[in-house]
Amino acid sequence: MTDTANRTATGRRTYPGISPTTWEHPTDRAALAALRAVPGFDIVLKRLFAVIGEKSLRMYHEANTIKVSSQQFGRLHERFLECCEILDADKIPDLYVTQFPLLNAMTIGLDDPFIVVNTTTAEILDDDELHFVLGHELGHAMSGHALYKTMLALLMRLTLSGIPLTRLVFFGVILALREWDRKSELSADRAGLLCIQDPETAYNTFMKMAGGTRTDEMNLDAFLEQAAQFEQSDTWSDSLVKLLNTRFISHPFSVTRTAEIMRWIDSDDYAAVLRGEYRDRDNDDPDFRQDVRTAMAAYRERMAKSDDALAQTLSDWTERATGAAKDMKGRMRKPNASEDLEDYAWEPFDVDFFEEDEPEG
């Protein structure tokens, strides 16, 4: 791609033919690819979904929400059409507004996903912040996230239905889907940023999600500093608490999402897309193994650069284990390899703590 992209009427850059893999977070892509690689996983989900039916979900929203158009919620309609133009959506999803007192939006469906925005979101956010959220949800739709998000919601309902063994049967699947679900939000945030093309708007949106509408009593610089500090942990217990706090939530914490967007911008990948350097959907054929390799590389790089105590320890052990594996592979090629493998197995690690002291004398 060259820097010859068109612009919308408001001057925002468009990305003709952009592939969703351009904005997808590597951990999101790897997690979703792993789920899809399970034999029959998609088939089972679609059959389970058929019990409820996409049509019934759509009819519910047709009957009980407001369908956005040029006549209804016109500012959302205008902003959403611009998002679709920017990301060059093949099809414009239907957009609805529902009465609900929570700052949120969601993408639902199977073959024909649609987007629902809560009234609180439309009331609290300004036009640019709404633009970011609409781009976020469009990113979900274009990345094919709707099926898995809808199934996760249905499985959660089943676990609360009181049906015997339901919670036990679906517990592992729900945890796996939740882990992917949180990663998918990081991808969608990138899509939202590509639509609004203003990082400060994204940061302000996250700040409102965390603290509400009293922005006159909040400070963006202080919030960004808070996000940076949260990424650091001095102890293992801090890191463990973070993991436990996120295992059952649908979205990463607002400060985490802020830090992730900042990290993406600092990596220059965001600027490259703005320059017109991105993947073309017509020539993009993602490979599952490459997705996994990319995700693992991203994890290793993240841990190596992190100030988090747990991440630093895991990074150190990962490097030692990688070196040990390579060295052991070399020793296995020697004619008398078996003679020193047992002594070598624990060599790269500090295991003196686990060994008993030699008896004196």
Side-chain angles (χ1 to χ4, degrees):
M1 288 287 178
T2 58
D3 192 11
T4 59
N6 297 323
R7 293 185 179 272
T8 66
T10 63
R12 293 186 177 88
R13 181 179 296 276
T14 63
Y15 316 106
I18 189 172
S19 169
T21 58
T22 301
W23 64 72
E24 288 169 357
H25 196 280
T27 54
D28 162 29
R29 293 186 62 204
L32 188 55
L35 287 172
R36 287 170 171 166
V38 176
F41 184 77
D42 270 358
I43 295 175
V44 171
L45 284 187
K46 288 180 179 180
R47 288 182 177 175
L48 183 58
F49 188 86
V51 175
I52 303 298
E54 183 171 14
K55 186 176 181 180
S56 65
L57 289 174
R58 184 177 291 276
M59 289 182 66
Y60 170 83
H61 286 87
E62 288 277 4
N64 204 41
T65 65
I66 300 297
K67 188 173 184 179
V68 174
S69 66
S70 58
Q71 289 80 38
Q72 300 191 110
F73 288 100
R75 70 180 182 124
L76 267 70
H77 181 67
E78 182 178 337
R79 292 285 182 151
F80 187 55
L81 289 182
E82 185 174 2
C83 286
C84 292
E85 180 184 359
I86 290 170
L87 296 184
D88 194 21
D90 289 332
K91 182 178 180 180
I92 299 176
D94 287 334
L95 178 62
Y96 299 89
V97 173
T98 186
Q99 174 66 30
F100 199 78
L102 181 66
L103 202 164
N104 197 14
M106 55 186 173
T107 303
I108 308 171
L110 175 56
D111 300 315
D112 189 20
F114 56 95
I115 295 169
V116 182
V117 176
N118 291 352
T119 48
T120 299
T121 305
E123 292 165 357
I124 287 179
L125 302 184
D126 65 25
D127 287 356
D128 285 347
E129 292 160 354
L130 277 171
H131 194 110
F132 170 71
V133 169
L134 292 170
H136 171 106
E137 294 302 327
L138 180 61
H140 278 315
M142 294 180 65
S143 288
H145 292 162
L147 167 64
Y148 305 96
K149 285 183 168 292
T150 305
M151 289 316 307
L152 176 58
L154 293 176
L155 289 175
M156 290 298 296
R157 288 185 183 181
L158 284 175
T159 61
L160 299 174
S161 65
I163 301 175
L165 299 180
T166 300
R167 185 183 298 272
L168 180 62
V169 169
F170 291 125
F171 185 74
V173 176
I174 288 174
L175 284 183
L177 281 170
R178 274 200 177 281
E179 173 62 17
W180 161 77
D181 193 25
R182 287 187 291 272
K183 298 297 185 292
S184 76
E185 297 301 327
L186 304 180
S187 295
D189 285 342
R190 294 179 175 186
L193 181 58
L194 291 178
C195 283
I196 190 60
Q197 298 168 24
D198 176 27
E200 187 169 321
T201 294
Y203 302 151
N204 281 325
T205 305
F206 295 137
M207 188 167 66
K208 284 187 176 180
M209 289 178 178
T213 61
R214 297 297 296 271
T215 53
D216 59 319
E217 298 187 29
M218 294 184 279
N219 180 279
L220 181 57
D221 290 337
F223 179 69
L224 297 180
E225 166 113 17
Q226 178 183 338
Q229 289 179 349
F230 183 78
E231 290 292 290
Q232 303 174 5
S233 291
D234 296 327
T235 66
W236 275 56
S237 61
D238 289 346
S239 302
L240 183 59
V241 168
K242 287 182 183 179
L243 293 174
L244 294 176
N245 282 345
T246 59
R247 58 181 174 160
F248 292 122
I249 62 175
S250 61
H251 290 64
F253 294 126
S254 294
V255 292
T256 301
R257 296 169 70 178
T258 302
E260 283 288 343
I261 283 291
M262 294 170 66
R263 191 176 289 114
W264 191 48
I265 294 171
D266 291 342
S267 72
D268 194 48
D269 290 344
Y270 167 64
V273 180
L274 291 181
R275 292 193 300 267
E277 302 169 11
Y278 54 82
R279 296 183 181 183
D280 190 303
R281 72 184 66 153
D282 293 331
N283 302 306
D284 193 21
D285 185 19
D287 178 69
F288 167 66
R289 288 173 294 181
Q290 183 59 44
D291 279 341
V292 173
R293 286 193 293 267
T294 301
M296 291 304 295
Y299 272 129
R300 285 196 296 269
E301 181 181 3
R302 179 72 51 79
M303 287 191 295
K305 294 181 178 179
S306 176
D307 293 325
D308 185 282
L310 179 58
Q312 287 180 336
T313 302
L314 290 175
S315 177
D316 182 53
W317 274 69
T318 299
E319 291 300 320
R320 291 186 178 195
T322 301
K326 290 180 179 178
D327 197 2
M328 185 175 290
K329 186 179 294 184
R331 295 193 184 206
M332 286 293 291
R333 294 193 180 102
K334 296 179 181 179
N336 299 319
S338 60
E339 295 179 2
D340 65 341
L341 282 182
E342 183 176 353
D343 292 337
Y344 170 74
W346 289 94
E347 186 177 299
F349 303 98
D350 296 326
V351 294
D352 293 340
F353 176 81
F354 299 100
E355 296 178 353
E356 294 183 1
D357 294 334
E358 292 288 338
E360 297 183 1

